[in-house]
């Protein structure tokens, strides 16, 4: 009779190490009044209407007519601008018209915001910004470059902040009073922080256990992982009309 000996790869045996000694510090999920105040202020800003700011006197137009003079923008104002960005005289991106931002809240470059703060509606300005090679606060595509910006301020609005009272509570939620809204927000935030804390603690536990565990991966498992990565890459490239080769 014939006798066969077959050698096959099997899943590795994991040595968990001294996992019982793993200790993780607890994460505080409590919510203080300051956090609730911050959330209420965020809701207040989101639900408050935008209105035209008061003018700062009058200015003489081209036809000697008198028109109200708008104030310059400040933090929290909604602005409407046209802007273009150029590098060496060529457009670095498509010019943008009627773009709406909120100063200090929309992620505009600090140098762009500073230039806008000096404009009144109808005015424009141009300036250059040089980005350092190691500036991690900006996109990698502009690092080490000098870009020329042209910005025109076309519109200016300010928030007419709603009063923090019971009517405000009814506007933003199902609460009947501001006190009920605060309590509801605090409970909601506490539940969210508790869930996040549990995930963080679990991840820390797994990481600590893994540090002390032993695992010798068989070559076929590594080969399968590589093949799966290549297969996913091939599919992603095919969607872009590019071959893996």
């Amino acid at each position: 009779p014939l006798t066969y000996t077959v050698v096959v790869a099997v899943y590795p045996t994991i040595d968990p190490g001294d996992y019982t000694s793993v200790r993780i510090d607890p994460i505080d999920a409590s919510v203080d009044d300051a956090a609730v105040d911050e959330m209420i202020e965020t809701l207040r800003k989101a639900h408050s209407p935008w209105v035209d700011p008061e003018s700062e006197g009058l200015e003489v137009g081209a036809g000697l007519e008198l028109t109200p003079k708008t104030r310059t923008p400040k933090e929290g104002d909604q602005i409407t601008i046209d802007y273009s960005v150029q590098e060496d005289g060529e457009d670095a991106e498509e010019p943008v018209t009627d773009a709406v931002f909120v100063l200090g809240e929309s992620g505009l470059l600090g140098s762009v915001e500073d230039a806008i703060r000096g404009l009144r509606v109808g005015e424009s300005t141009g300036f250059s910004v040089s980005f350092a090679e190691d500036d991690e606060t900006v996109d990698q595509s502009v690092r080490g470059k000098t870009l020329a910006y042209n910005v025109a301020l076309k519109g200016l609005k300010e928030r007419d902040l709603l009063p923090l009272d019971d009517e405000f509570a009814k506007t933003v939620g199902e609460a009947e009073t501001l006190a009920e809204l605060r309590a509801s927000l605090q409970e909601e935030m506490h539940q969210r922080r508790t869930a996040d804390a549990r995930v963080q603690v679990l991840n820390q536990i797994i990481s600590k256990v893994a540090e002390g565990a032993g695992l010798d991966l068989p070559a076929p498992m590594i080969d399968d992982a590589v093949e799966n990565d290549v297969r996913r890459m091939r599919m992603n490239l095919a969607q872009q009309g590019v071959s893996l080769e």
Side-chain angles (χ1 to χ4, degrees):
L2 296 177
T3 301
Y4 294 91
T5 300
V6 180
V7 178
V8 297
V10 297
Y11 285 109
T13 299
I14 301 174
D15 177 11
D18 187 17
Y19 66 90
T20 58
S21 65
V22 170
R23 294 292 182 271
I24 299 298
D25 293 331
I27 297 177
D28 185 8
S30 62
V31 179
D32 56 18
D33 290 340
V36 178
D37 291 340
E38 184 178 350
M39 177 59 71
I40 287 180
E41 188 62 23
T42 299
L43 291 173
R44 186 187 189 190
K45 289 181 178 180
H47 288 80
S48 295
W50 294 102
V51 298
D52 294 325
E54 292 185 7
S55 60
E56 293 185 342
L58 299 174
E59 60 182 354
V60 181
L64 300 182
E65 71 278 5
L66 295 177
T67 58
K69 182 172 61 175
T70 63
R71 64 168 173 79
T72 55
K74 62 183 181 181
E75 188 86 359
D77 281 345
Q78 183 190 78
I79 56 172
T80 302
I81 61 173
D82 292 347
Y83 72 90
S84 63
V85 185
Q86 294 186 326
E87 180 184 6
D88 298 329
E90 301 290 336
D91 286 337
E93 57 183 70
E94 287 292 325
V96 178
T97 59
D98 296 328
V100 178
F101 300 99
V102 177
L103 283 182
E105 300 177 19
S106 297
L108 282 173
L109 285 174
S111 52
V112 175
E113 286 197 347
D114 290 342
I116 293 173
R117 293 176 198 275
L119 299 176
R120 298 181 188 275
V121 174
E123 296 179 343
S124 59
T125 186
F127 55 94
S128 296
V129 180
S130 296
F131 300 95
E133 290 279 2
D134 58 351
D135 188 353
E136 297 183 355
T137 63
V138 298
D139 190 88
Q140 190 170 3
S141 62
V142 302
R143 296 175 189 173
K145 296 181 178 180
T146 297
L147 301 179
Y149 289 81
N150 288 285
V151 181
L153 181 61
K154 300 177 68 177
L156 178 65
K157 298 282 187 179
E158 66 180 11
R159 285 189 179 98
D160 184 14
L161 290 175
L162 298 173
L164 294 178
D165 52 21
D166 293 344
E167 288 302 316
F168 167 78
K170 296 175 183 178
T171 300
V172 302
E174 299 179 356
E176 291 296 322
T177 65
L178 186 59
E180 289 181 9
L181 176 63
R182 292 184 60 87
S184 175
L185 289 175
Q186 187 167 27
E187 178 62 23
E188 180 182 336
M189 294 170 67
H190 180 257
Q191 291 180 0
R192 185 164 58 248
R193 287 190 181 184
T194 299
D196 291 343
R198 286 173 176 165
V199 172
Q200 293 180 46
V201 168
L202 179 59
N203 289 338
Q204 291 180 37
I205 292 173
I206 293 174
S207 179
K208 285 289 186 180
V209 172
E211 289 176 4
L215 177 63
D216 186 15
L217 290 174
M221 289 187 71
I222 299 175
D223 293 341
D224 285 346
V226 172
E227 290 178 5
N228 288 334
D229 283 346
V230 172
R231 188 180 303 111
R232 281 193 294 268
M233 184 181 297
R234 188 188 302 275
M235 293 175 60
N236 291 337
L237 291 173
Q239 293 175 355
Q240 303 172 34
V242 180
S243 69
L244 180 63
E245 289 70 24

